[in-house]
Amino acid sequence: QVQLVESGGGLVQAGGSLRLSCAASGRSLVGYAMAWFRQAPGKEREFVAGISWGGTTTDYADSVKGRFTISRDNAKNTVYLQMNSLKPEDTAVYYCAADSVAWRQGFLTGIRDFASWGQGTQVTVSS
């Protein structure tokens, strides 16, 4: 499986912005849909944003629509999550994940649909 490493998390004031990065090694991300999930303490991991292998299709959780933007740069083997207008409820560990199946049309949002996961990066939004 591809190795994924998230970075860019930190502490930010409500209304601020962060840009998360997910760097891959071991194999190319070309051909794989990618997604960001997050998990707050005591809560289940939830889907945040996804992007198809070609980068032409994206989807977002209702809670982040209009505020977060997922993108990818296959040449750099990296996926990004631009997070704007952050809210305290965005506080969580954010995980990058790669689809378990290559060349899938569109994307899926379930945890079991993704085979490779990073270790996560903490995002804390203060009020």
Side-chain angles (χ1 to χ4, degrees):
Q1 294 181 343
V2 62
Q3 291 80 51
L4 304 174
V5 179
E6 302 93 338
S7 63
L11 175 65
V12 65
Q13 187 80 6
S17 299
L18 288 172
R19 189 193 192 202
L20 306 184
S21 297
C22 173
S25 62
R27 66 162 174 81
S28 174
L29 295 179
V30 174
Y32 289 87
M34 301 292 296
W36 288 93
F37 290 76
R38 67 186 181 187
Q39 187 168 19
K43 297 183 178 180
E44 296 182 351
R45 191 170 300 186
E46 64 176 353
F47 171 81
V48 176
I51 187 167
S52 63
W53 66 264
T56 59
T57 302
T58 59
D59 196 19
Y60 300 91
D62 289 341
S63 60
V64 306
K65 285 182 178 178
R67 300 188 298 119
F68 291 9
T69 302
I70 187 172
S71 62
R72 67 189 300 163
D73 187 338
N74 287 339
K76 296 182 178 180
N77 224 27
T78 302
V79 180
Y80 305 96
L81 184 67
Q82 180 65 47
M83 310 165 66
N84 298 327
S85 301
L86 284 163
K87 304 175 180 179
E89 51 262 45
D90 295 319
T91 295
V93 177
Y94 283 71
Y95 298 90
C96 178
D99 198 344
S100 61
V101 178
W103 312 111
R104 190 193 303 275
Q105 298 299 305
F107 52 84
L108 301 174
T109 62
I111 292 175
R112 295 193 299 272
D113 299 319
F114 296 85
S116 299
W117 295 82
Q119 293 301 304
T121 185
Q122 177 70 48
V123 172
T124 302
V125 184
S126 64
S127 59

